[in-house]
């Protein structure tokens, strides 16, 4: 295997980093500053001797729908201000065929998801594994057995006059009406009525349900099923995550937005990590789910736990679906305690 080669050049407003390695798919990144934005380009190249199907999800190939990069200033990380999506496991239409020797590229404006407002040296680090399948694996629909490639590419860029850069735009939400819930919080609804009473019924279950789960987190089979090997540190993280969600639900003004404007067919709901308005955007799939938890099935109650864990505890999306969450717990317990869906299924299978 070839060793990783890193070439680095730095000029005012512009840096580039190129790499070559022995992995099946390699990535070249470059970033530059325009008048009011910082744009980064990503080129994926198939270095294998066979065609591959690359998953677009959690990459720039699907746009700014996930945190596939991290940005830091002089070693201090910036907060991601983009979308976090609760969706079903991937389907065939989310892959792109990358033939042997060919490349595919995408460009995004990272100032749409990070607030860059201080002059200095920034590092843009690719932070998501790249997932792919062979042609035979795709033909057999082995989507649950994705191969994973850790990408370690970064770009350094020196930025000046950052006050001129655009900032991430917050979705403005008009509140239709607010419903007060005894002993928990007030839930507001926006964009009309789409069985709001059903959403409200699920919401009313959350505070008591979270209290129950917080009291039960411990070194037992239920914990290990969803979060893997027990350590006191991991257990404390899990309990604290539920506590942050519980306190946020009880102490914040919450809004449910029907038919979120960004929704796609396999999305359940989405939210943002950093916006001042605490909003969960609901998608078509959500409305067809049962109100209350039903084990490891998708439900409205479980979905709301998933979203508020995102919003208040900053949990990520590593994998989706109960089977994938169980496998993550067995193989990567540290990733399991970062994964919002693991909290959803642990919560619901404990009710």
């Amino acid at each position: 295997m070839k060793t990783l080669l890193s070439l680095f050049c730095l000029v005012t407003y512009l840096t580039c980093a190129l790499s070559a390695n022995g992995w099946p798919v390699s990535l070249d990144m470059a970033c530059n500053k325009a008048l009011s934005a910082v744009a980064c380009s990503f080129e994926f190249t198939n270095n294998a001797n066979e065609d591959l199907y690359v998953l677009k999800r959690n990459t720039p190939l699907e746009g700014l729908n996930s945190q596939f990069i991290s940005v830091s200033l002089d070693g201090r990380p910036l907060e991601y201000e983009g979308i976090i999506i609760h969706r079903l496991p991937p389907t065939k239409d989310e892959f792109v065929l990358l033939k042997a020797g060919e490349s595919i590229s995408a460009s995004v404006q990272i100032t749409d998801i990070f607030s860059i407002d201080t002059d200095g040296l920034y590092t843009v680090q690719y932070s998501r594994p790249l997932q792919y399948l062979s042609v035979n694996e795709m033909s057999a629909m082995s989507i649950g057995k994705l191969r994973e490639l850790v990408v370690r590419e970064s770009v350094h860029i020196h930025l000046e006059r950052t006050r001129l850069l655009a900032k991430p735009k917050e979705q403005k939400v008009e509140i239709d009406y607010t419903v007060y819930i005894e002993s928990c919080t007030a839930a507001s609804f926006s964009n009309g009525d789409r069985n709001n009473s059903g959403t409200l019924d699920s919401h009313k279950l959350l505070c008591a349900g979270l209290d129950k789960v917080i009291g039960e987190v411990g070194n037992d089979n239920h914990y290990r099923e969803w979060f893997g090997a027990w350590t006191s540190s991991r257990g404390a993280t899990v309990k604290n995550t539920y506590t942050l969600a519980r306190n946020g639900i009880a102490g914040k003004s919450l809004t449910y937005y029907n038919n979120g404007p960004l929704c796609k067919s396999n999305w359940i709901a989405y939210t943002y990590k950093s916006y001042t308005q605490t909003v969960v955007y609901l998608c078509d799939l959500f409305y067809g789910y049962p109100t209350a938890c039903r084990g490891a099935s998708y439900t409205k109650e479980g979905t709301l736990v998933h979203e508020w864990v995102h919003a208040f505890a900053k949990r990520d999306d590593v994998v989706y679906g109960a089977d994938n969450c169980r496998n993550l717990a067995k193989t990567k317990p540290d990733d399991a305690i970062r994964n919002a869906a693991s909290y959803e299924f642990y919560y619901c299978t404990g009710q």
Side-chain angles (χ1 to χ4, degrees), residues 222 257 335:
H222 185 217
Y257 189 106
D335 284 346

Side-chain angles (χ1 to χ4, degrees), residues 98-239:
L98 190 56
K99 294 186 175 182
E102 291 189 351
S103 300
I104 188 171
S105 60
S107 296
V108 297
Q109 292 188 172
I110 66 171
T111 37
D112 288 343
I113 54 175
F114 292 97
S115 292
I116 297 176
D117 51 17
T118 302
D119 294 359
L121 181 64
Y122 287 80
T123 300
V124 182
Q125 171 80 50
Y126 200 92
S127 57
R128 283 275 193 173
L130 191 66
Q131 296 179 303
Y132 64 97
L133 293 170
S134 68
V135 172
N136 289 339
E137 289 166 335
M138 178 61 78
S139 297
M141 292 300 290
S142 301
I143 292 176
K145 299 179 180 178
L146 284 165
R147 301 194 214 178
E148 196 168 276
L149 171 63
V150 176
V151 179
R152 301 190 184 281
E153 285 300 306
S154 61
V155 168
H156 302 274
I157 180 167
H158 187 269
L159 297 174
E160 298 179 1
R161 303 177 70 191
T162 52
R163 66 184 183 280
L164 301 178
L165 293 174
K167 300 297 182 287
K169 294 180 180 179
E170 180 172 350
Q171 179 75 38
K172 297 299 182 183
V173 174
E174 298 290 337
I175 304 302
D176 294 341
Y177 61 88
T178 298
V179 179
Y180 290 92
I181 303 169
E182 183 180 357
S183 78
C184 195
T185 186
S188 301
F189 289 87
S190 185
N191 202 28
D193 187 346
R194 186 164 181 187
N195 191 23
N196 290 351
S197 61
T199 302
L200 186 61
D201 286 343
S202 300
H203 183 95
K204 290 177 179 178
L205 300 171
L206 296 181
C207 285
L210 287 166
D211 285 339
K212 180 177 184 292
V213 167
I214 291 166
E216 293 178 349
V217 173
N219 185 9
D220 55 21
N221 289 335
H222 185 217
Y223 175 94
R224 288 188 289 273
E225 179 180 8
W226 299 108
F227 297 112
W230 168 272
T231 68
S232 58
S233 176
R234 290 188 189 126
T237 297
V238 170
K239 181 172 287 193

Side-chain angles (χ1 to χ4, degrees), residues 57-125:
R57 181 182 290 193
N58 297 327
T59 79
L61 299 175
E62 68 161 358
L64 293 172
N65 284 342
S66 62
Q67 186 178 358
F68 52 83
I69 57 169
S70 59
V71 179
S72 59
L73 170 62
D74 297 328
R76 300 187 301 276
L78 274 62
E79 186 170 11
Y80 171 69
E81 298 180 42
I83 191 172
I84 319 167
I85 308 164
H86 183 10
R87 43 187 166 181
L88 298 179
T91 53
K92 187 173 181 178
D93 62 343
E94 292 184 74
F95 291 79
V96 59
L97 177 61
L98 190 56
K99 294 186 175 182
E102 291 189 351
S103 300
I104 188 171
S105 60
S107 296
V108 297
Q109 292 188 172
I110 66 171
T111 37
D112 288 343
I113 54 175
F114 292 97
S115 292
I116 297 176
D117 51 17
T118 302
D119 294 359
L121 181 64
Y122 287 80
T123 300
V124 182
Q125 171 80 50

